[in-house]
Amino acid sequence: MPVSNQAFIAVRKTDSSVRPLDPLWQPPAIIWTLLGGQGLAIVLALAPGLTLDRMVYFGLASFGAMWVCLLSLAMLYVLRVPLERLRPVHIALVALVLLLLNTWLAAFTITQLLGSALSQTFPDVRTLLLQLTGIALTVGVLGFAAFQSHWRAQKLALHAKQSELEALQARIRPHFLFNTLNTGAALVHRRPEEVERLLLDLADLFRAALAGPRDISLEDELALARRYLEIESLRFGERLRIEWKLPREIPHVMVPALSIQPLVENAIRHGIERRPEGGEIEIAVSTMPETVIVRIINPLAPGGENRPGHQVGLNASQVRIEALTGGRGSVLTQQEGRRFIATVRLPTNA
């Protein structure tokens, strides 16, 4: 049964999955933001001409900077859906406005809590607000410049990754195409109906390949892997046995098109193809909290080692999945007894 056209038409380009605000929700970004706020508090506490006790001043500045940072990040997270419709520069301007509002809110809260104690050091509240506004604007402008530099670097890295993906994908196609055409030529007179099915499956796979680097659902990607295995079943006959271990409903996660299929191809080339008696390929999908796991298992080649050659398929899948998930997904391989296992981990909220 051919793969649904939605796998090739209703798809998103890889670069559309990269959103400007995504890095802000990652732990390193939150930690560095808080450390930057504490660094600013230290600088203010060490400034010359300070009449207030420096440790007390550092405590106030640290408290205010921490809450300004956390409130700004929280507001950006709450507003992330409407903000994603804006251009990156406009998102940065909104973030700057939120930083100013939260600075004023923190200043108002501190003055209300400390009242008379603070008035001895800052008798003029207007002057204090102007100073804090100037500090917030300076920090915001520096953050704005850093954001632009980061976003430009991310886009350049993404375009470079796209070129790498296309090159890897181009290296995979010829080997498989030649094998398939040879299989079709061998069967065209003896089993023409199976050759027709082979060509339809080949058309599905190459439609996905020629569409370029795109994201499709895991269900559609597994359907492409099934098309590939149907073609190879004609080539290997009884030497190839396939076991699918799938849940009743395939989890709805996105994967790069033709990212699972190369792992299945590796299992055929470096497992089944090297064994005169053939063997069994097992494809299993399981779910864990916030993670979907796909395993491709093949028997080891004679000699007890899986010899993956140049690992083109593995590298292609690894690069694509890491690019899609921002490094949260992975492709790992291991030998377990007489079996070789490729494990794909996909975050459910990628």
Side-chain angles (χ1 to χ4, degrees), residues 292-315:
V292 175
I293 300 174
V294 183
R295 286 189 174 91
I296 297 95
I297 304 172
N298 64 273
L300 288 176
E305 294 184 359
N306 195 75
R307 293 176 292 173
H310 297 294
Q311 295 188 331
V312 175
L314 174 61
N315 292 338

Side-chain angles (χ1 to χ4, degrees), residues 8 32 36 42 44 47 53-54 61 117 147 196 211 240 242 269 271 289-290 297 321 330 340 344:
F8 310 107
W32 279 109
I42 292 174
L44 293 175
D53 182 87
R54 293 188 184 274
F147 171 82
E196 180 182 0
L240 174 60
I242 305 164
R269 291 181 60 190
E290 300 184 355
I297 304 172
I321 288 173
S330 64
F340 186 84
V344 180

Side-chain angles (χ1 to χ4, degrees), residues 8-9 76 117 191 193 199 206 243 246 299-300 345:
F8 310 107
I9 299 175
L76 287 172
R191 292 142 65 184
E193 68 286 349
L199 293 176
F206 269 76
E243 182 177 0
L246 305 179
L300 288 176
R345 293 181 178 272

Side-chain angles (χ1 to χ4, degrees), residues 11 14 19 41 43 53 62 64 70 79 91 115 122 140-141 158-159 231 237 239 245-246 262 267 281 307:
V11 294
T14 304
R19 295 165 293 192
V43 171
D53 182 87
S62 174
L70 290 177
L79 298 173
I91 294 175
F122 299 104
V141 170
L158 180 63
H159 290 314
I231 292 173
R239 289 179 58 202
K245 293 184 177 179
L246 305 179
I281 299 291
R307 293 176 292 173

Side-chain angles (χ1 to χ4, degrees), residues 141-157:
V141 170
L142 291 175
F144 181 82
F147 171 82
Q148 279 193 313
S149 177
H150 169 77
W151 181 245
R152 189 180 298 111
Q154 191 176 28
K155 296 294 286 184
L156 290 175

Side-chain angles (χ1 to χ4, degrees), residues 28-280:
I30 297 174
I31 292 172
W32 279 109
T33 300
L34 294 178
L35 288 177
Q38 298 309 301
L40 176 62
I42 292 174
V43 171
L44 293 175
L46 295 176
L50 188 65
T51 58
L52 187 65
D53 182 87
R54 293 188 184 274
M55 290 303 297
V56 174
Y57 191 86
F58 170 74
L60 292 174
S62 174
F63 176 81
M66 181 181 68
W67 281 105
V68 168
C69 292
L70 290 177
L71 282 173
S72 298
L73 288 175
M75 288 183 177
L76 287 172
Y77 184 80
V78 171
L79 298 173
R80 67 190 184 282
V81 175
L83 287 178
E84 285 172 0
R85 303 189 185 99
L86 303 178
R87 296 174 56 191
V89 173
H90 295 157
I91 294 175
L93 292 175
V94 172
L96 181 60
V97 172
L98 291 177
L99 181 65
L100 285 174
L101 292 177
N102 288 320
T103 299
W104 295 336
L105 178 61
F108 176 78
T109 302
I110 291 175
T111 55
Q112 291 300 310
L113 290 176
L114 299 181
S116 58
L118 193 65
S119 62
Q120 297 176 3
T121 306
F122 299 104
D124 189 354
V125 177
R126 290 185 179 179
T127 302
L128 174 62
L129 288 177
L130 286 175
Q131 290 175 344
L132 292 176
T133 300
I135 292 171
L137 281 173
T138 302
V139 172
V141 170
L142 291 175
F144 181 82
F147 171 82
Q148 279 193 313
S149 177
H150 169 77
W151 181 245
R152 189 180 298 111
Q154 191 176 28
K155 296 294 286 184
L156 290 175
L158 180 63
H159 290 314
K161 189 71 69 177
Q162 291 285 84
S163 299
E164 183 180 354
L165 296 181
E166 291 171 358
L168 286 169
Q169 191 172 8
R171 291 174 63 190
I172 295 172
R173 294 174 193 161
H175 174 88
F176 172 61
L177 175 61
F178 297 149
N179 281 342
T180 303
L181 293 178
N182 287 335
T183 301
L187 296 175
V188 68
H189 295 297
R190 294 183 289 116
R191 292 142 65 184
E193 68 286 349
E194 292 185 354
V195 174
E196 180 182 0
R197 189 186 74 185
L198 178 147
L199 293 176
L200 289 174
D201 289 340
L202 182 65
D204 282 339
L205 288 168
F206 269 76
R207 189 180 297 115
L210 295 174
R214 297 171 182 265
D215 306 335
I216 62 177
S217 68
L218 176 60
E219 183 175 7
D220 285 334
E221 175 62 18
L222 291 175
L224 289 173
R226 193 183 294 272
R227 301 285 83 78
Y228 168 78
L229 287 171
E230 287 177 355
I231 292 173
E232 294 291 52
S233 294
L234 295 176
R235 178 181 166 206
F236 289 99
E238 295 181 355
R239 289 179 58 202
L240 174 60
R241 299 177 296 280
I242 305 164
E243 182 177 0
W244 292 86
K245 293 184 177 179
L246 305 179
R248 183 172 300 177
E249 291 188 9
I250 303 296
H252 184 69
V253 294
M254 303 301 289
V255 297
L258 296 179
S259 57
I260 304 296
Q261 181 271 333
L263 300 177
V264 178
E265 183 174 353
N266 271 359
I268 296 288
R269 291 181 60 190
H270 307 297
I272 307 302
E273 195 173 77
R274 297 170 186 255
R275 295 165 56 91
E277 72 278 17
E280 181 179 271

